[in-house]
Amino acid sequence: MNEIDELTIKSAGRGDAGAFKRLYDHYAPYAWAVIHKTTAGNESAAREILQDVFVRVYRSLKHYKSNSSFSTWLYRIAYNTSMSHLSREAKARSRSVPLEKAELAGDPNDRLDARDTVRKVLAQLTPAERFLLVSREIDELSFEELAEITGRKQGALRTTVSRLKSKLREMLENE
Amino acid sequence: MNEKEFYKELAHAPEMPDDVFPAVEKQITRRKRLIRGIYGLAACLILAIGIGVYQVDSPNRNVQAQAKPSEQVLDEIEYIEDYFAGEDMEREMALYTLVDVRLYE
């Protein structure tokens, strides 16, 4: 991922609205892609999370230190925000109708197109697994970056991703 | 669907909604206003407390201003004032003239 220049980050941290807009325009599409998949394609949830992520980015910008890349820092915020949002949502759902399953349930004879299959498969994974899958396989983040984002050890992440891929293979075979 | 097709489809994300940034801006502005409001309220509160304390204390200040020192204190003050004005010597001399040296002979 191309990183934005330091000056823009610093200006945005000082409250420059134009710089913050440039920052948003640069990173929001990446964040949107990963958040959208982490929510298993739930657009309204993804929209809420994306909004929350950039509000948090704005508030925390002055604390950003360039020890890690800006994208890794932003992914960490996106990861934490997504996890807390989705766990809150899951708790609320457990008290009512399980919407995700209800949305996906339908006539089994209906022909699911590729997008629906992906949604269905993603819905069977946990939000953390979905995040790992997308950030590793699509955004091609390194295990080092993933460890920094999730706060887990690289070795554990390697094992999780490897198991996840076998699980996916199985799920796709059964589709 | 095979694995390759799955990852290809996974990479596809729908277009990002346009209304997210205005919502972010709105939320940031609301928060800024809230913080400013809290600071304003705190400043008003401090000012009100200050004025209140001043008003509550004002009778005491009037009493202090109207208070008169006792006779002894007034004498002392006069003595000190004379000392600074160099007039105390006169008083001392007057005191000594009252002493009859013959009494000590």
Side-chain angles (χ1 to χ4, degrees):
Chain A
M1 185 191 299
N2 280 341
E3 297 288 347
I4 208 163
D5 58 296
E6 279 284 314
L7 189 69
T8 306
I9 298 170
K10 280 183 183 165
S11 304
R14 282 195 294 265
D16 182 338
F20 183 65
K21 175 79 171 85
R22 282 199 298 281
L23 205 73
Y24 176 87
D25 289 341
H26 188 88
Y27 290 104
Y30 297 103
W32 167 252
V34 75
I35 291 166
H36 185 266
K37 299 298 175 197
T38 305
T39 58
N42 183 338
E43 253 183 68
S44 64
R47 188 189 297 236
E48 263 179 52
I49 295 170
L50 184 69
Q51 184 183 327
D52 209 6
V53 164
F54 275 90
V55 171
R56 284 185 192 197
V57 164
Y58 183 84
R59 283 183 206 160
S60 322
L61 261 174
K62 46 186 169 235
H63 305 299
Y64 166 71
K65 285 169 192 158
S66 45
N67 303 341
S68 59
S69 66
F70 190 79
S71 58
T72 307
W73 184 75
L74 190 128
Y75 265 81
R76 192 162 62 230
I77 294 177
Y79 174 79
N80 291 332
T81 312
S82 303
M83 294 309 121
S84 57
H85 187 100
L86 294 171
S87 75
R88 229 176 19 242
E89 207 171 63
K91 274 180 199 164
R93 272 184 195 181
S94 67
R95 275 179 252 133
S96 59
V97 186
L99 280 176
E100 210 164 286
K101 282 180 186 167
E103 276 170 15
L104 291 163
D107 188 350
N109 297 323
D110 280 356
R111 195 176 163 209
L112 296 169
D113 63 11
R115 196 173 296 176
D116 287 334
T117 310
V118 171
R119 261 195 87 181
K120 198 178 172 186
V121 169
L122 287 178
Q124 292 173 60
L125 305 175
T126 64
E129 286 175 332
R130 293 194 287 256
F131 184 91
L132 274 181
L133 187 73
V134 177
S135 50
R136 174 70 194 153
E137 298 302 316
I138 308 301
D139 296 341
E140 295 175 338
L141 297 188
S142 67
F143 282 107
E144 195 186 342
E145 286 171 311
L146 283 175
E148 209 177 314
I149 292 163
T150 59
R152 290 173 64 189
K153 287 186 178 161
Q154 282 189 48
L157 284 169
R158 277 178 208 277
T159 314
T160 309
V161 170
S162 162
R163 279 187 193 152
L164 190 56
K165 282 165 94 174
S166 333
K167 189 175 160 185
L168 262 175
R169 229 168 278 138
E170 258 176 53
M171 285 197 293
L172 287 170
E173 277 167 18
N174 296 333
E175 274 302 313
Chain B
M1 180 186 248
N2 61 33
E3 230 182 315
K4 200 178 165 188
E5 285 169 337
F6 174 81
Y7 285 117
K8 195 179 166 192
E9 188 53 43
L10 189 69
H12 172 265
E15 212 169 298
M16 197 175 69
D18 297 332
D19 57 349
V20 177
F21 189 74
V24 170
E25 269 188 318
K26 205 173 164 185
Q27 211 173 325
I28 290 168
T29 315
R30 200 166 51 216
R31 191 182 146 81
K32 272 185 183 170
R33 274 193 202 141
L34 187 76
I35 291 170
R36 267 188 222 143
I38 291 168
Y39 276 122
L41 204 70
C44 286
L45 201 70
I46 291 167
L47 202 68
I49 291 170
I51 292 168
V53 167
Y54 182 82
Q55 282 181 344
V56 165
D57 197 40
S58 60
N60 292 338
R61 261 181 279 110
N62 288 339
V63 166
Q64 280 169 12
Q66 288 163 6
K68 282 184 181 172
S70 67
E71 283 290 314
Q72 196 184 346
V73 172
L74 280 172
D75 281 349
E76 289 295 329
I77 290 170
E78 196 187 343
Y79 187 81
I80 292 163
E81 278 173 355
D82 286 349
Y83 173 79
F84 282 120
E87 289 168 4
D88 60 324
M89 287 301 288
E90 246 175 70
R91 193 195 291 200
E92 294 287 309
M93 291 298 285
L95 185 71
Y96 288 126
T97 51
L98 290 175
V99 179
D100 189 351
V101 286
R102 282 171 298 178
L103 289 171
Y104 298 98
E105 283 174 353

